[in-house]
Amino acid sequence: MEGEASLPLMAVSLFDTSTPLAPLRPEIDRAVARVLDHKQFILGPEVAAFEEEFASFCGAGQAIGVANGTDAITIALRAMGVGPGDDVVVPSFTFYASAEAIPATGAQPVFCDVDPETMCVTADTVRAALTPQTKAVLAVHLFGNIAPIDEIAALGVPVLEDAAQAAGGILDDGRRPGALGTAATWSFFPSKNLGCFGDGGAITTNDPDIAERVRMLRFHGSHDKVTYEHVGYNSRLDALQAAILRVQLPHLEGWGDARRAAGRHYENAGLGELVDLSVPAPGTRPAWHLYVVRHAEADALAARLGEAGIGTKAYYRTPVHRQPAMRELGAGVELPVTDELAATNLAIPMSAVLDRAQADAVVAAVRAAVAAPVG
Ligand SMILES: Cc1ncc(COP(=O)(O)O)c(C=O)c1O
């Protein structure tokens, strides 16, 4: 970083989840009132309606609401038959929960690397981690980018999509995350592209048997709370959260378009001359959940952007296989691309309401920051 720095004119926050929701507030208030009036707080009509609407949005046969995106992974893997003695291939460059949910099934995570440009797993990185015990692959659609599920499934191993960050994304052929693998898991954590007002999650699948097992596992392993066929979970999407999600769902496509447009605007404004950009996986149109750039001096860049009022955040600086809880499973695992991305990534502002003036201000700040002397 050399030369002269100049300050941009506008502060831009890393996220903006409130502005898109502000015009929906009266409708959300009515949805909450509806639940308070009908008093079916657990499952019931709101959850059933959301499940139908969300499955239809994804192009999946069924959606099943659960308590959060972490439970969704554990429950989906169990419904896919994963259990003790099995291996599940998972990237290390992801949110910790992707891997944490695996030992809860009795299986163990086997960490794989990712592609340096898309930051997602590929058939090659998965193939390198396959073992004779591999029962499933957990392919994370990281930062909203869409992992190549068809190519990974062609390896002959069932694929569970971790679609927590990918709501609103679409493939060039019209398919969506959630309907690409054997099953997919979702988080509706408030900051997600489709976020509720607390914890929430879902599983989507085209396989009716998996859907049936998921429905039982989320409800104590029972259909009727009389006979218990599995040791399951109490993991249900709240009716209040489902009602709130139903108000937002019709806007998800438009919000996805806005995230795509913001990414394109970063590109057109010349950001790629200053830092390495997020690269959509071939054949995909991601609804960027986070817009993550790469730079050799990412922390220095973050400090300078912070001084200029631009929100940034480094993700997964310690990748999962190097976390204390994964010490044994991560021992001896070498994932060079993961280590490189962990050191160099930086999320810059992205939201469904990031406008051109804000994107220009971010690019101007990055330009000034990379031109400034270090230290
Ligand atoms: C990639 C990924 N997987 C899993 C999760 C877990 O979701 P939750 O926080 O709803 O348990 C998250 C989100 O936080 C995530 O980003």
Side-chain angles (χ1 to χ4, degrees):
M1 297 192 185
E2 292 169 357
E4 287 300 307
S6 66
L7 288 178
L9 302 171
M10 192 191 290
V12 187
S13 59
L14 181 61
F15 297 116
D16 184 352
T17 48
S18 0
T19 306
L21 293 182
L24 303 182
R25 180 58 190 265
E27 218 185 321
I28 289 172
D29 286 345
R30 284 196 295 278
V32 168
R34 193 169 69 228
V35 177
L36 298 189
D37 288 341
H38 68 48
K39 297 185 176 55
Q40 293 201 51
F41 297 117
I42 304 293
L43 299 178
E46 296 295 342
V47 173
F50 173 70
E51 288 175 343
E52 214 175 299
E53 290 156 11
F54 189 60
S56 158
F57 178 86
C58 296
Q62 297 199 44
I64 305 101
V66 294
N68 56 68
T70 310
D71 283 5
I73 297 169
T74 304
I75 291 173
L77 287 173
R78 280 192 61 192
M80 288 164 63
V82 171
D86 295 332
D87 287 345
V88 177
V89 175
V90 63
S92 170
F93 192 58
T94 179
F95 179 52
Y96 175 69
S98 303
E100 177 192 33
I102 296 168
T105 67
Q108 71 172 18
V110 175
F111 296 105
C112 73
D113 219 340
V114 288
D115 179 85
E117 294 198 322
T118 67
M119 300 188 244
C120 286
V121 293
T122 66
D124 285 341
T125 68
V126 167
R127 190 188 292 108
L130 293 176
T131 71
Q133 289 75 42
T134 304
K135 192 69 178 271
V137 175
L138 183 60
V140 182
H141 297 313
L142 198 70
F143 304 141
N145 214 345
I146 304 173
I149 303 300
D150 292 347
E151 292 169 24
I152 298 167
L155 297 172
V157 188
V159 182
L160 177 63
E161 302 168 66
D162 181 344
Q165 302 185 2
I170 190 161
L171 273 62
D172 288 344
D173 65 13
R175 290 181 298 153
R176 288 187 186 277
L180 307 175
T182 300
T185 59
W186 299 89
S187 166
F188 304 126
F189 187 83
S191 63
K192 297 290 194 257
N193 292 3
L194 179 65
C196 58
F197 292 0
D199 276 312
I203 292 150
T204 49
T205 181
N206 284 318
D207 183 324
D209 296 331
I210 290 176
E212 178 61 17
R213 283 195 289 277
V214 166
R215 284 188 195 282
M216 289 179 76
L217 286 169
R218 76 165 170 186
F219 194 82
H220 304 288
S222 176
H223 278 304
D224 52 11
K225 231 178 169 182
V226 175
T227 304
Y228 299 89
E229 294 179 37
H230 305 282
V231 174
Y233 308 87
N234 176 2
S235 183
R236 298 166 304 220
L237 181 65
D238 281 1
L240 274 169
Q241 302 301 349
I244 291 163
L245 288 165
R246 290 184 70 200
V247 176
Q248 296 183 52
L249 187 56
H251 302 275
L252 182 57
E253 181 66 10
W255 292 339
D257 287 341
R259 288 173 181 275
R260 281 182 274 278
R264 271 196 308 277
H265 195 65
Y266 276 143
E267 285 171 34
N268 295 338
L271 186 62
E273 296 151 20
L274 309 169
V275 290
D276 292 324
L277 301 185
S278 283
V279 178
T284 72
R285 285 179 262 155
W288 300 115
H289 171 54
L290 296 167
Y291 196 84
V292 176
V293 300
R294 287 160 285 138
H295 190 275
E297 293 173 37
D299 290 336
L301 176 60
R304 290 200 178 279
L305 292 177
E307 285 161 17
I310 305 298
T312 66
K313 189 173 171 193
Y315 278 81
Y316 323 134
R317 278 281 186 263
T318 303
V320 181
H321 76 290
R322 298 192 184 282
Q323 292 292 342
M326 298 287 160
R327 199 171 286 122
E328 280 178 29
L329 292 165
V333 174
E334 289 303 327
L335 303 172
V337 176
T338 293
D339 286 337
E340 168 84 12
L341 292 177
T344 58
N345 85 82
L346 191 67
I348 61 171
M350 173 53 67
S351 77
V353 288
L354 188 85
D355 62 26
R356 281 169 170 247
Q358 290 173 313
D360 285 340
V362 173
V363 176
V366 173
R367 198 177 296 284
V370 298
V374 185

